[in-house]
């Protein structure tokens, strides 16, 4: 095997392939080693640049880029941003709704816009919208539809619905005074959805801390990242039926806070009545959510679990004292979440209508 030197690109590329072959062999992969050795032997790797090689090997990792639409649809980001800021200005709650759409999309088989697919009786297709965590809960679909319509007019068949969700979530947070981050672009849209996974892979407001840590760990997140992402509850609202038991029966709750919420959430009935997730700052994206937890004012059972004598107490305290740290960690965790199990290259499709496959 040739020595790896800065002046020997053929050697570098070929040895990268050999490393990958060894890795796949160890995990039982079926990479064609003879083909790769032939590439090395005949020096074909010299004529392939590194990104092309990685595309062949890693199924499109190189295709995701912040500049993905710079030539094919240069106005894409400005179109999305204008629509999101307009929607949030019209209804501040919409920012939280668009952020939640991205969460619920990515946590079910990756960020592929499967959450946007409607049920179709004619083809016996069941999407994710009617799954337990999503039914009568998710909103903002019309905003995504409007954005898609504008993008299809500007550059037909170019911008994916999955990318729209990712950018809309980022711009929603920014519109509410939160951090921003650079979104990797180039996602493609799924042609399927999973009703069953939507019922099992999304966090429940009734979960205990160990259940939350386990669920997020299965998606590749640390407990610290889980706490940071939970900070999304600094904005938005929740339905009475999701926190009724907490405000009437749990003991780790500030009594005055519980009583103030009970006026909008009676012990029976009124299940769809709304209360802000963040009592101190209902709309603005800040660290007030964590300050509430220190005072036992978490609205949801799962919220207060983050500060209840467990392993995440110190992280909650850190975020309550340091808003800059929280916002930086939140942005990093969102960037990580937005790159979960992407469809790129030739996988999936670019839907012309986000609600149905082409």
């Amino acid at each position: 095997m040739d020595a790896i030197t800065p002046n020997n690109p053929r050697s570098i590329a070929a040895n990268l392939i050999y490393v990958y072959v060894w890795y796949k062999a160890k995990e039982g992969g079926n990479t064609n080693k003879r083909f790769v050795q032939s590439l090395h032997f005949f020096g074909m790797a010299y004529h392939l640049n590194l990104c092309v090689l990685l595309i062949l090997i890693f199924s499109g990792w190189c295709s995701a880029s912040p500049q993905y639409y710079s030539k094919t649809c240069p106005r894409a980001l400005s179109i999305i941003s204008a629509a999101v800021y307009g929607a949030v200005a019209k209804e501040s709650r919409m920012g939280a709704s668009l952020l939640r759409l991205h969460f619920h999309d990515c946590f079910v088989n990756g960020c592929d816009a499967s959450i946007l697919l409607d049920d179709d009786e004619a083809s016996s297709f069941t999407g994710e919208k009617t799954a337990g965590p999503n039914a009568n809960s998710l909103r903002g679909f019309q905003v995504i539809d409007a954005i898609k319509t504008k993008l299809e007019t500007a550059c037909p068949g170019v911008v994916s619905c999955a990318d729209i969700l990712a950018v809309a979530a980022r711009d929603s947070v920014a519109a509410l005074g939160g951090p921003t981050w650079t979104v990797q672009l180039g996602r493609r849209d799924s042609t399927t959805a999973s009703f069953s996974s939507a019922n099992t892979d999304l966090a429940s407001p009734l979960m205990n801390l160990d259940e939350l840590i386990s669920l997020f760990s299965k998606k590749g997140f640390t407990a610290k990242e889980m706490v940071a992402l939970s900070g999304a509850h600094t904005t938005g609202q929740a339905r009475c039926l999701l926190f009724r038991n907490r405000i009437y029966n749990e003991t780790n709750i500030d009594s005055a806070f519980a009583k103030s919420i009970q006026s909008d959430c009676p012990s029976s009935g009124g299940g769809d009545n709304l209360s802000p997730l963040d009592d101190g700052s209902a709309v603005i994206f800040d660290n007030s959510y964590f300050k509430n937890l220190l005072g036992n004012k978490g609205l949801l059972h799962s919220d207060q679990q983050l500060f209840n004598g467990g392993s995440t107490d110190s992280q909650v305290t850190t975020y309550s004292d340091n808003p800059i740290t929280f916002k930086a960690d939140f942005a990093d965790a969102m960037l990580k979440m937005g790159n979960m199990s992407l469809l790129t290259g030739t996988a999936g499709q670019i839907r012309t209508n986000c609600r149905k496959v082409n």
Side-chain angles (χ1 to χ4, degrees):
M1 192 178 286
D2 295 341
I4 300 179
T5 68
N7 296 320
N8 193 344
R10 181 184 67 82
S11 162
I12 294 172
N15 278 290
L16 280 171
I17 296 174
Y18 272 115
V19 170
Y20 177 69
V21 169
W22 173 83
Y23 171 77
K24 293 300 287 184
K26 280 190 66 90
E27 70 171 355
N30 60 359
T31 303
N32 190 330
K33 186 174 183 178
R34 180 174 299 174
F35 172 71
V36 175
Q37 289 173 330
S38 296
L39 278 179
H40 182 118
F41 182 77
F42 291 106
M44 292 174 66
Y46 180 80
H47 300 287
L48 295 174
N49 64 51
L50 182 57
C51 190
V52 172
L53 284 172
L54 290 177
I55 289 173
L56 291 172
I57 296 171
F58 297 111
S59 303
W61 284 7
C62 284
S63 58
S65 164
Q67 291 79 37
Y68 189 82
Y69 299 114
S70 61
K71 293 184 179 179
T72 56
C73 192
R75 294 181 54 237
L77 296 183
S78 61
I79 289 174
I80 298 173
S81 179
V84 169
Y85 274 79
V88 173
K90 184 177 181 180
E91 181 197 7
S92 60
R93 184 188 173 200
M94 187 54 67
S97 298
L98 293 174
L99 175 59
R100 191 160 179 253
L101 272 182
H102 186 43
F103 264 89
H104 283 226
D105 180 40
C106 292
F107 264 68
V108 181
N109 298 328
C111 309
D112 59 4
S114 58
I115 189 63
L116 301 178
L117 291 172
D118 287 338
D119 293 351
D120 183 12
E121 293 184 9
S123 61
S124 300
F125 173 80
T126 302
E128 298 165 10
K129 291 181 178 179
T130 55
N134 299 331
N136 301 313
S137 176
L138 290 183
R139 56 198 300 274
F141 297 108
Q142 292 81 2
V143 175
I144 300 300
D145 290 340
I147 293 172
K148 182 60 173 175
T149 297
K150 292 179 180 178
L151 288 170
E152 285 299 305
T153 299
C155 34
V158 173
V159 182
S160 69
C161 301
D163 275 347
I164 293 173
L165 285 176
V167 176
R170 188 269 310 274
D171 290 347
S172 292
V173 171
L176 295 172
T180 187
W181 56 93
T182 301
V183 177
Q184 296 293 317
L185 302 170
R187 299 167 186 78
R188 288 171 64 85
D189 302 323
S190 70
T191 56
T192 60
S194 179
F195 177 85
S196 60
S197 294
N199 277 314
T200 59
D201 290 7
L202 292 166
S204 162
L206 305 179
M207 283 183 170
N208 293 324
L209 179 60
D210 59 341
E211 294 173 308
L212 290 168
I213 291 175
S214 176
L215 184 144
F216 276 77
S217 177
K218 290 177 182 177
K219 299 297 181 181
F221 294 98
T222 65
K224 176 182 176 181
E225 290 169 332
M226 181 271 290
V227 174
L229 289 172
S230 297
H233 285 181
T234 188
T235 186
Q237 303 180 62
R239 292 180 294 163
C240 167
L241 62 87
L242 299 177
F243 56 83
R244 176 183 283 128
N245 183 68
R246 170 158 171 73
I247 64 174
Y248 283 99
N249 299 317
E250 294 190 2
T251 57
N252 61 339
I253 186 169
D254 180 85
S255 58
F257 169 70
K259 186 175 181 179
S260 69
I261 300 298
Q262 289 170 5
S263 61
D264 292 322
C265 182
S267 58
S268 63
D272 288 332
N273 292 355
L274 298 172
S275 290
L277 287 162
D278 182 347
D279 181 60
S281 174
V283 175
I284 302 301
F285 197 98
D286 54 21
N287 67 332
S288 174
Y289 166 80
F290 297 105
K291 294 180 179 180
N292 290 340
L293 298 185
L294 266 60
N296 286 334
K297 296 180 180 180
L299 183 66
L300 304 178
H301 173 84
S302 57
D303 287 334
Q304 196 59 55
Q305 284 293 295
L306 302 182
F307 189 84
N308 194 42
S311 61
T312 56
D313 280 14
S314 61
Q315 196 61 47
V316 170
T317 301
T318 295
Y319 289 155
S320 71
D321 292 335
N322 299 280
I324 295 177
T325 299
F326 160 56
K327 290 183 177 183
D329 287 353
F330 180 83
D332 289 343
M334 285 296 295
L335 179 60
K336 180 176 178 177
M337 187 188 78
N339 291 333
M340 290 171 60
S341 302
L342 304 188
L343 297 176
T344 59
T346 59
Q349 62 180 212
I350 305 297
R351 292 186 216 138
T352 55
N353 180 340
C354 291
R355 293 176 178 265
K356 61 182 182 179
V357 298
N358 296 340

